Amino acid sequence: MVVDLSELALKAGLADYSPVRGCMVIKPYGYAIWELIQKELDARIKECGHENAYFPLFIPESFLKKEADHIEGFAPECAVVTHAGGQKLEEPLVIRPTSETIIYHMFSKWIHSWRDLPFSVNQWANVVRWEMRTRLFLRTTEFLWQEGHTAHATHEEADGEALRMQKVYYDFMTKILALAPIVGQKSDSERFAGAEKTYSLEVLLRDGKILQAGTSHCLGQGFAKAFEIQFQTPNNELEFVHLTSWGVSTRLIGAIVLGHLDEKGLILPPAVAPIQAIIIPIYKTEEEKNKVLEECQKIASELKLAGIRHKIDSNDQTSPGAKFNEWELKGVPIRVQIGPRDVQNNQVELVRRDKCEKLKNIPRLGLPEKIQSLLTEMQDYLYERQLAWREENTYSADSIDELEQILETKGGFIKAHWNGKADTENKIKELTKATIRVKAFDEPEEKGKCLISGEESLQRVYIGRAY
RNA sequence: CGGGAUGUGGCUCAGCUUGGUAGAGCAUCUGCUUUGGGAGCAGAGGGUCGGAGGUUCGAAUCCUCUCAUCCCGACCA
């Protein structure tokens, strides 16, 4: 099984390496997936009342330094512009690694009264983080994402908003991406730089590793104080706002690929497949070709009417067999095969990418409806399969040896007791190369002893090796 | 930044140990036959061997330096 994302992403035409270290070119097929992600998620974000805006790529260096934890977390990975217009700049400009600072600078100008709250903005943008090691889609130097920022009058409201957006992500990932993330809260050491609490969504991939697919932060008042975002209460008192920020990135494409792939290549959930049905004509003679292609055109126009994203692979130079393999590699959900026999009998052959089963003698009449129902079935099936995969690969460990053994032989999520402290967390990481991924919300209470310290613990946490 | 590897037609790589003036497969082009699970045959075009310097009559091959990329660790969406 090809589980190497880089190889698969290159072969399937999602992306290519660029001349710049750690940066990728997202090719049309990969970008089309991103556009579908954007479209679906953007609608959900707007339903929450958040509007889109755009802030500058450049951030004055001094802005980043205003929040102590934030600069400490991000300084090592910032790209900084020191020269422009042929001259050394008065103040260096950081290329945004994230936009909290510049957005909150603006918030302080825009928010004055309790009547202005809650206040929110979302932006779709690129950010740059000079990571030591990069990997196509999972960790690139420049990546695309969406970052939402909200300001609230109370801590409870801000925390509620951070949780609400995490739920929006959960809903999006399960319904649209057919992924089954564990949702919960990050440990202190894995928390976002400058945040009070970080909520995350952790996906178990098919190679047994874990991917943080999205985060939502309750920032408390730290940034508000650093950027002096104050408002007057109805009682005429000055108070600092409570902020949240939340984001998902092009990493989601990596999550889709690694969450669903099989030995033949990608399997795209229908909801984000740029091509949902690929039509492959099969013929020998010129006469057959004309008849078959004519029928393909008819099918295409019916699919268009039905709102199914499709394409006819009319390439004359490759054999049908080659096309089958090509589109399987690219993960197209439904393949429509049609040859002279089918035209004759008013039927087609369909193949579902996930199960790879051939459905012969499908009546030509009502084909769009049939394809639509298969797409729906496949979307559900992929989610069920992901969920089952996660459940089958979630284990419990009650000692560090047991934890290590499961990591070595199986991978996956391992639930274990932990005392909640940083030193024991580091120790686990040191010993096993695995990290505490998340404290799940729906984890039942259970008395136990910390793997390292033996201290009392009331709840298991999820541990695993992550990307 | 530590460890490993690689750089040779568009792509994947061989050749390097033991120097003798560049090769295969895929792709491309031409022609004919093919097309229901990765087509066949015949022919053609295309490379200052990452860069610089050195050794030598002669360097893809040996030496020195340099640049770049990828993989494995510490950092991270």
Side-chain angles (χ1 to χ4, degrees), chain A residues 223-237:
Chain A
F223 279 101
K225 285 174 181 165
F227 287 87
E228 297 178 316
I229 312 173
Q230 287 177 300
F231 67 98
Q232 281 188 294
T233 66
N235 302 327
N236 207 20
E237 284 161 0

Side-chain angles (χ1 to χ4, degrees), chain A residues 192-260:
Chain A
F192 174 74
E196 189 183 288
K197 289 185 203 165
T198 288
Y199 302 116
S200 82
L201 300 100
E202 306 279 327
V203 176
L204 175 62
L205 305 172
R206 296 198 76 82
D207 61 0
K209 281 183 156 184
I210 290 136
L211 186 72
Q212 183 174 314
T215 50
S216 180
H217 316 288
C218 175
L219 300 173
Q221 291 181 303
F223 279 101
K225 285 174 181 165
F227 287 87
E228 297 178 316
I229 312 173
Q230 287 177 300
F231 67 98
Q232 281 188 294
T233 66
N235 302 327
N236 207 20
E237 284 161 0
L238 265 185
E239 275 183 25
F240 289 104
V241 298
H242 299 257
L243 296 160
T244 78
S245 70
W246 23 275
V248 297
S249 70
T250 35
R251 175 179 270 191
L252 284 179
I253 297 175
I256 296 168
V257 174
L258 287 174
H260 296 299

Side-chain angles (χ1 to χ4, degrees), chain A residues 444-462:
Chain A
E445 279 201 8
E446 177 197 290
K447 281 191 180 174
K449 291 195 161 67
C450 172
L451 283 181
I452 301 290
S453 69
E455 287 174 77
E456 291 278 315
S457 150
L458 288 176
Q459 194 201 62
R460 287 179 185 266
V461 293
Y462 281 78

